[in-house]
Amino acid sequence: HDYSEEEYDEAVKVELPVMIGKIDCVVHKELCHKQMIMAYPTLRLFIDGEVWRGGDYRGHRTVTEMAHWLTQVEEIYKKEVDDPKTRLHDVHEAALDRMGKGDESAE
């Protein structure tokens, strides 16, 4: 995917690291059931391993719109925590934990 200048400009406004993962609910039915994912695609944000209280992303599926939404979430998050710096490693570990992979995936 080639990104437009507008998409790039909006995406670089997001300061905290964001990992995007894709789960195939046909293959991973149990995980999707556990997460109460009923419609596809579902875009869900996890912060520190917990589902973002603001709910799933409901906007347009464009880089610009998603980046704008993430920037808004980030501003709320920064106001709520003492240390807004989240390391990519922490995000990765939280994602592995949520998927039930734990330490065995580190091999």
Side-chain angles (χ1 to χ4, degrees):
H1 179 90
D2 292 324
Y3 298 103
S4 71
E5 191 172 327
E6 178 188 7
E7 290 173 327
Y8 178 81
D9 288 345
E10 197 63 34
V12 297
K13 292 177 185 175
V14 179
E15 295 176 10
L16 298 177
V18 176
M19 279 183 46
I20 297 176
K22 179 180 176 180
I23 302 295
D24 183 337
C25 286
V26 173
V27 175
H28 302 282
K29 292 177 186 174
E30 187 176 322
L31 175 62
C32 292
H33 179 71
K34 184 179 175 182
Q35 289 295 321
M36 299 175 55
I37 295 174
M38 305 297 173
Y40 316 114
T42 297
L43 298 173
R44 181 163 296 159
L45 179 64
F46 291 84
I47 297 178
D48 296 330
E50 299 297 323
V51 176
W52 170 246
R53 64 174 165 38
D56 294 340
Y57 177 73
R58 303 271 185 229
H60 294 285
R61 302 309 206 242
T62 66
V63 171
T64 302
E65 292 293 323
M66 290 173 63
H68 180 71
W69 180 71
L70 286 168
T71 303
Q72 292 175 331
V73 170
E74 185 177 63
E75 289 304 314
I76 294 167
Y77 178 73
K78 284 180 180 180
K79 291 176 186 175
E80 294 177 351
V81 295
D82 295 331
D83 181 12
K85 294 182 179 168
T86 302
R87 297 177 318 195
L88 185 56
H89 181 273
D90 293 338
V91 175
H92 178 70
E93 290 300 316
L96 289 176
D97 185 52
R98 279 306 228 191
M99 294 185 331
K101 299 287 184 186
D103 291 331
E104 76 253 10
S105 66
E107 298 175 1

